[in-house]
Amino acid sequence: MSSIPEAVVSSVKSLGLNGSSAHTNGTLGDVVVKNICCVGAGYVGGPTAAVVAFQNPHIRVTVVDRDETRIRRWNSKHPPIYEPGLRDIVRIARDGGRKASFASKPTAEGQDATVQDRPANLFFTTDVGKSISEADIVLVAVNTPTKYRGVGAGSATDMTAFEAVTGVVAQYAREGAIIVEKSTVPCRTAQLVADTLSMHRPGVHFEILSNPEFLAAGTAVGDLLYPDRILIGSAPTESGKKAAEALVKVYASWVPRERILTTNVWSSELAKLVANSMLAQRISSINSISAVCEQTGADVDEVAKAVGVDPRIGNKFLVAGIGFGGSCFKKDVLNLVYLADTMGLPEVGEYWRQVVKMNEYARDRFTNRIIKCLNNTLVGKKVTILGFAFKKNTSDTREAPALEMIKTLLEERPREIAVFDPCCNPLVVKEEIQLLLGPVAEQGNIHVYGNAIDACNNSTAVVIATEFDEFRNQPAPTPKPVAADAPVPKMLGRKPNPKADPRPFVTPSVPTENDFLALHKHLVQLEGQDNDDPLDRYNVEPDCPEDCPDCKQYRESKDTGFATGMGSAEEYKPRERIDWVHIADNMAKPRWVFDGRGVIDSREMEKLGVRVESVGRQHRF
């Protein structure tokens, strides 16, 4: 024990993590969870709270946020974020579900199975204090970006919002409430929470848990419904274990118990940082190899395939591109860098710092390649950016490579930068570009379009910045031929196959919400189905004011035939590919496509007279 700093030993004791309840403010009694409050209505808090409420009809789940616009949108037909499947879950949890009847077997006639009605149990509000005071469990899911000024600038986590929320929670939370870190936070943040609670409410007992999210943008709802693991960190005291078990029971309503892992708080906090850092490392590794491929004539996709078949390596996260984005990878790697630096481990910090440097190098190298191919000048030229979100099937644009690319391209004074993203509301994209680029965006040469055809019209260059399937120029892969009488597999891994009818359910007498959702997804994707509610289970959505900007954008998208933010009947069907023949015919010569995500078959584009530059390959011209 002599090698451990005394301050560390003291902090562990004060939090009760040494296994003794003597150093805590009392103990936790038996916990019956009836109310959960989630502080933060963003990309983590919103979907997480929606799924928890969806799977636990007996628990009231309230999401609070001081952003009135965000709450207004959660309470409308237009949630502020887009994730496949999220709308269906919000509809049931927020608006309640009607009693519905259906056939218990695919071949059965009549309606011999019934799902009972359920009241709404998901609520969105700006009344922070009241919601926290009523909660048995408080989830803290606020933004924790990288700090950009002061001590630790460029690597430390900015804890301003988290610290502020912790103070509010300390002020309003009832005695015995369980406080859960849902945000990605630096290791040992639980100590900050404990100190804040102790300062505001001396002698009052709270339990602090770490429950990091492992969601991937674009698949967040599937990750929540069928998680690889749920991680819960607690104090190893009797009271801490009771708190952890209370949260375990919430998840156990739909997650198998063997997938719920319990650890101490510090391990849970650090595990999230390490998981994201390891994934980011793989992306930077293959992107570094893509630069070598471009100089040697090797094809990065072929190299990645040859490497990925080794079971010790695997093929996940080995797709070269213009770098990772999103709110997590860069921030969490830098968080790990700062943790190592402050603990006297500079070599460890420098190792992980290179992951971020390589990511920025991949993005900037590709942007410079665009400029070089266009004869080092963009004056008088229109450049189209296809994809603004950082990855496909999401509207999350945080740390998206496209934004920095636009910023660099604007310095070359192009006639126009056109932007289109199939999942982002153009009105929101305009606002984000203006907010993040400031005066640079006010030059009047950035235009956001509602469809790809208009965005690419008369463009000299088209840059693919996000790997949406709609942007591919190859036909969708043909399903493998199967015998006419061969059964369609019900599961794809651990998730239901929407092509297969899930009936009869595993437990026909007690079907789960996941069972109903799987049936819904199967029915809406059937050919000819245009009804968002084939089970007739939805209640009416809240009305919007006449001047609702989201409704305006929706009407415009319907008029043009190009929709952004789809209903479930469209959501679960294959996306229509854009017409590259039409686009090529209407581009300005010389016609260029810069494929930053490996979605274009250059041989097909050459037939259309379009030059292609791709990551990790030598160009052919």
Side-chain angles (χ1 to χ4, degrees), residues 16 28 205 207-209 233-245:
L28 194 68
H205 180 75
E207 278 298 332
I208 303 160
L209 302 179
S234 70
T237 60
E238 179 184 352
S239 186
K241 291 177 181 178
K242 281 186 178 180
E245 187 58 29

Side-chain angles (χ1 to χ4, degrees), residues 39-52:
V39 185
Y43 283 90
V44 173
T48 300
V51 171
V52 169

Side-chain angles (χ1 to χ4, degrees), residues 153-170:
S155 58
T157 300
D158 186 344
M159 297 293 287
T160 303
F162 190 92
E163 184 182 39
V165 166
T166 302
V168 174
V169 170

Side-chain angles (χ1 to χ4, degrees), residues 402-412 436-437 440:
L403 187 65
E404 285 298 324
M405 294 176 71
I406 291 172
K407 189 175 181 180
T408 301
L409 294 173
L410 283 173
E411 295 177 359
E412 300 296 326
L436 296 170
L437 296 186
V440 178

